Amino acid sequence: MIVSSSIKVRVIQGRNLLACDSNGKSDPYCVLWIHNGSGEKKKTHKKRKTLSPHWDEQFVFPVNNPTTEMLNIEVFNHDDIGKDDAMGGCRIPLLGLTTNIEKALWFPLSTQGEIEVGITAIGFDSSGLHPQQAAEMAYMEGKTMDPTQIPIAAPPQRCILG
């Protein structure tokens, strides 16, 4: 039995972002992806003329191995003419997330400013492992857990850590 895990990512807001336009502001948007072979990138809507954007947009990504994969977020300034400007980025580890409980934190960007992101694990166990990995490890350690019997998760709860 193959159990799929995923994360729900909520890009909440940014603050103190880099000013890229001549008016002292930026038109920021975020690009998100996980390096897991899917190549799937998603992006938020752009917010005009701000250094403190509020997005509150949600995305879901499949996760193959939360112990090694990371959520990548790059922030760009939209330009009507020419190439969009990179404003910085961050990499967020997935290990240690708790299933169905959102972990919302501020993450510093590589240049200036930070973004607030909420991440909810879907189908992880309490150790942050994919359920199938946890079941197989328990089975190999001689515990009685049958690796084909994976519990169904409870409804999501919200928890803000900071």
Side-chain angles (χ1 to χ4, degrees), residues 9 11-12 29 36 57 60 66 78 83 101 108 118 120 128 132 156:
V9 179
V11 181
I12 302 168
Y29 67 92
N36 61 9
E57 295 183 37
V60 176
H78 173 78
K83 185 177 175 184
I101 297 179
T120 305
Q132 190 67 32

mmCIF file of all heavy atoms in Angstrom, residues 9 11-12 29 36 57 60 66 78 83 101 108 118 120 128 132 156:
data_model
loop_
_atom_site.group_PDB
_atom_site.id
_atom_site.type_symbol
_atom_site.label_atom_id
_atom_site.label_comp_id
_atom_site.label_asym_id
_atom_site.label_seq_id
_atom_site.Cartn_x
_atom_site.Cartn_y
_atom_site.Cartn_z
ATOM 1 N N VAL A 9 0.519 24.680 2.090
ATOM 2 C CA VAL A 9 1.322 25.865 2.369
ATOM 3 C C VAL A 9 0.427 27.088 2.242
ATOM 4 O O VAL A 9 -0.265 27.257 1.239
ATOM 5 C CB VAL A 9 2.501 25.984 1.380
ATOM 6 C CG1 VAL A 9 3.309 27.234 1.660
ATOM 7 C CG2 VAL A 9 3.366 24.742 1.438
ATOM 8 N N VAL A 11 0.867 31.024 2.203
ATOM 9 C CA VAL A 11 1.738 32.199 2.179
ATOM 10 C C VAL A 11 0.889 33.342 2.727
ATOM 11 O O VAL A 11 -0.078 33.769 2.094
ATOM 12 C CB VAL A 11 2.242 32.508 0.757
ATOM 13 C CG1 VAL A 11 3.160 33.722 0.767
ATOM 14 C CG2 VAL A 11 2.954 31.295 0.170
ATOM 15 N N ILE A 12 1.249 33.805 3.913
ATOM 16 C CA ILE A 12 0.392 34.752 4.628
ATOM 17 C C ILE A 12 0.726 36.200 4.262
ATOM 18 O O ILE A 12 -0.125 36.933 3.760
ATOM 19 C CB ILE A 12 0.506 34.527 6.154
ATOM 20 C CG1 ILE A 12 0.115 33.079 6.486
ATOM 21 C CG2 ILE A 12 -0.366 35.529 6.913
ATOM 22 C CD1 ILE A 12 0.450 32.636 7.891
ATOM 23 N N TYR A 29 5.552 39.036 -5.599
ATOM 24 C CA TYR A 29 4.838 37.769 -5.652
ATOM 25 C C TYR A 29 5.833 36.671 -5.283
ATOM 26 O O TYR A 29 7.046 36.883 -5.318
ATOM 27 C CB TYR A 29 4.209 37.516 -7.030
ATOM 28 C CG TYR A 29 5.194 37.304 -8.148
ATOM 29 C CD1 TYR A 29 5.632 36.023 -8.493
ATOM 30 C CD2 TYR A 29 5.683 38.389 -8.883
ATOM 31 C CE1 TYR A 29 6.542 35.833 -9.537
ATOM 32 C CE2 TYR A 29 6.579 38.204 -9.918
ATOM 33 C CZ TYR A 29 7.005 36.929 -10.246
ATOM 34 O OH TYR A 29 7.899 36.735 -11.258
ATOM 35 N N ASN A 36 11.389 17.441 -5.571
ATOM 36 C CA ASN A 36 11.080 16.018 -5.356
ATOM 37 C C ASN A 36 10.784 15.312 -6.678
ATOM 38 O O ASN A 36 10.153 14.266 -6.683
ATOM 39 C CB ASN A 36 9.907 15.852 -4.381
ATOM 40 C CG ASN A 36 8.625 16.492 -4.876
ATOM 41 O OD1 ASN A 36 8.537 16.936 -6.025
ATOM 42 N ND2 ASN A 36 7.626 16.551 -4.021
ATOM 43 N N GLU A 57 -2.642 33.122 0.602
ATOM 44 C CA GLU A 57 -2.965 32.174 -0.467
ATOM 45 C C GLU A 57 -2.455 30.784 -0.093
ATOM 46 O O GLU A 57 -1.390 30.654 0.517
ATOM 47 C CB GLU A 57 -2.348 32.626 -1.790
ATOM 48 C CG GLU A 57 -2.928 33.932 -2.286
ATOM 49 C CD GLU A 57 -2.363 34.342 -3.634
ATOM 50 O OE1 GLU A 57 -2.128 33.465 -4.496
ATOM 51 O OE2 GLU A 57 -2.158 35.559 -3.830
ATOM 52 N N VAL A 60 -1.062 23.248 -2.281
ATOM 53 C CA VAL A 60 -0.778 21.893 -1.795
ATOM 54 C C VAL A 60 0.301 21.284 -2.683
ATOM 55 O O VAL A 60 0.229 21.385 -3.917
ATOM 56 C CB VAL A 60 -2.047 21.012 -1.795
ATOM 57 C CG1 VAL A 60 -1.712 19.582 -1.388
ATOM 58 C CG2 VAL A 60 -3.099 21.601 -0.863
ATOM 59 N N PRO A 66 9.787 13.740 3.735
ATOM 60 C CA PRO A 66 9.908 14.985 4.505
ATOM 61 C C PRO A 66 11.223 15.109 5.267
ATOM 62 O O PRO A 66 11.561 16.188 5.720
ATOM 63 C CB PRO A 66 8.716 14.937 5.464
ATOM 64 C CG PRO A 66 8.326 13.520 5.534
ATOM 65 C CD PRO A 66 8.702 12.898 4.227
ATOM 66 N N HIS A 78 7.435 42.093 -9.728
ATOM 67 C CA HIS A 78 6.884 42.079 -11.086
ATOM 68 C C HIS A 78 7.267 43.374 -11.803
ATOM 69 O O HIS A 78 7.112 44.471 -11.270
ATOM 70 C CB HIS A 78 5.362 41.942 -11.047
ATOM 71 C CG HIS A 78 4.738 42.102 -12.395
ATOM 72 N ND1 HIS A 78 4.744 41.109 -13.338
ATOM 73 C CD2 HIS A 78 4.123 43.171 -12.972
ATOM 74 C CE1 HIS A 78 4.143 41.535 -14.431
ATOM 75 N NE2 HIS A 78 3.756 42.791 -14.237
ATOM 76 N N LYS A 83 12.677 41.685 -17.374
ATOM 77 C CA LYS A 83 12.650 40.525 -16.487
ATOM 78 C C LYS A 83 12.284 40.936 -15.055
ATOM 79 O O LYS A 83 12.728 41.990 -14.575
ATOM 80 C CB LYS A 83 14.047 39.876 -16.522
ATOM 81 C CG LYS A 83 14.151 38.604 -15.765
ATOM 82 C CD LYS A 83 15.558 38.004 -15.918
ATOM 83 C CE LYS A 83 15.698 36.778 -15.056
ATOM 84 N NZ LYS A 83 17.048 36.230 -15.086
ATOM 85 N N ILE A 101 -1.806 20.068 11.842
ATOM 86 C CA ILE A 101 -1.653 21.263 12.680
ATOM 87 C C ILE A 101 -0.759 22.240 11.932
ATOM 88 O O ILE A 101 0.380 21.931 11.606
ATOM 89 C CB ILE A 101 -1.057 20.935 14.063
ATOM 90 C CG1 ILE A 101 -2.015 20.029 14.825
ATOM 91 C CG2 ILE A 101 -0.782 22.221 14.843
ATOM 92 C CD1 ILE A 101 -1.535 19.616 16.194
ATOM 93 N N PRO A 108 13.242 34.597 7.405
ATOM 94 C CA PRO A 108 14.020 35.667 6.773
ATOM 95 C C PRO A 108 14.370 35.315 5.337
ATOM 96 O O PRO A 108 14.659 34.158 5.027
ATOM 97 C CB PRO A 108 15.282 35.755 7.639
ATOM 98 C CG PRO A 108 15.392 34.435 8.316
ATOM 99 C CD PRO A 108 13.987 33.894 8.443
ATOM 100 N N GLY A 118 2.524 29.548 6.715
ATOM 101 C CA GLY A 118 1.930 28.486 7.515
ATOM 102 C C GLY A 118 2.006 27.185 6.741
ATOM 103 O O GLY A 118 1.661 27.146 5.558
ATOM 104 N N THR A 120 1.037 23.010 6.867
ATOM 105 C CA THR A 120 0.303 21.911 7.492
ATOM 106 C C THR A 120 0.702 20.612 6.818
ATOM 107 O O THR A 120 0.606 20.490 5.596
ATOM 108 C CB THR A 120 -1.221 22.106 7.334
ATOM 109 O OG1 THR A 120 -1.585 23.391 7.860
ATOM 110 C CG2 THR A 120 -1.995 21.015 8.060
ATOM 111 N N GLY A 128 7.424 13.255 11.935
ATOM 112 C CA GLY A 128 7.683 14.000 10.716
ATOM 113 C C GLY A 128 7.968 13.107 9.535
ATOM 114 O O GLY A 128 8.333 13.569 8.476
ATOM 115 N N GLN A 132 4.171 5.638 5.697
ATOM 116 C CA GLN A 132 4.678 4.339 5.261
ATOM 117 C C GLN A 132 6.093 4.111 5.797
ATOM 118 O O GLN A 132 6.430 3.020 6.230
ATOM 119 C CB GLN A 132 4.673 4.250 3.725
ATOM 120 C CG GLN A 132 4.946 2.856 3.207
ATOM 121 C CD GLN A 132 3.826 1.878 3.540
ATOM 122 O OE1 GLN A 132 2.664 2.265 3.611
ATOM 123 N NE2 GLN A 132 4.172 0.632 3.748
ATOM 124 N N PRO A 156 -8.008 19.120 10.544
ATOM 125 C CA PRO A 156 -6.963 20.081 10.832
ATOM 126 C C PRO A 156 -7.294 20.994 12.012
ATOM 127 O O PRO A 156 -8.451 21.299 12.261
ATOM 128 C CB PRO A 156 -6.864 20.909 9.555
ATOM 129 C CG PRO A 156 -7.573 20.146 8.513
ATOM 130 C CD PRO A 156 -8.528 19.249 9.202
#
